[in-house]
Amino acid sequence: RARLAYGGMAATPKRAARTEHALVGRGWTLESVMEAAEALQEDFTPLSDHRGSAWYRATLAKNLLIGFFHESNTARLPRLSEGHSATVIA
C-alpha cells in the first residue's frame, strides 16, 4: 500500500493517486521511487504565488518523496500501528 498526500500544491490538500499507483506492487528501491516521483506531475498542477513558484513546489514534492525513501531505507524504524498519522515515532 502507498498513501501520499500533499498540501501547498493547490487550493486544498490532495492525495497523489497516480504516484501511489506507481509505487504499489514494486520493490521499495530508489529506481522505483524515482520513477514514481515523475507521476507527481500527473497528480498536481502547482500554483505560483508569493510563497513559491510552481517549479519550486513541484521540485519540493519530488524531493520529499525521495527524502522519505532515504530516511526509511537507511535506518530500521519501528512498525507503526494501522492508521497512525506520523511517519516516525518520536
Side-chain angles (χ1 to χ4, degrees):
R1 293 183 291 179
R3 297 291 180 263
L4 305 170
Y6 287 84
M9 298 287 281
T12 60
K14 178 184 156 198
R15 288 211 10 218
R18 288 185 175 104
T19 307
E20 292 172 351
H21 182 73
L23 288 168
V24 173
R26 302 195 59 200
W28 187 238
T29 65
L30 183 57
E31 179 183 7
S32 65
V33 170
M34 295 296 283
E35 289 174 11
E38 293 303 315
L40 285 165
Q41 66 188 0
E42 298 171 33
D43 283 315
F44 300 105
T45 305
L47 337 149
S48 286
D49 64 16
H50 67 281
R51 293 171 292 191
S53 68
W55 173 88
Y56 173 78
R57 292 169 194 259
T59 301
L60 183 60
K62 285 183 184 181
N63 287 343
L64 284 170
L65 177 57
I66 296 163
F68 176 71
F69 166 79
H70 287 296
E71 284 182 20
S72 65
N73 206 37
T74 57
R76 187 87 169 130
L77 298 174
R79 184 129 177 105
L80 299 175
S81 61
E82 186 68 28
H84 200 283
S85 62
T87 56
V88 296
I89 296 174

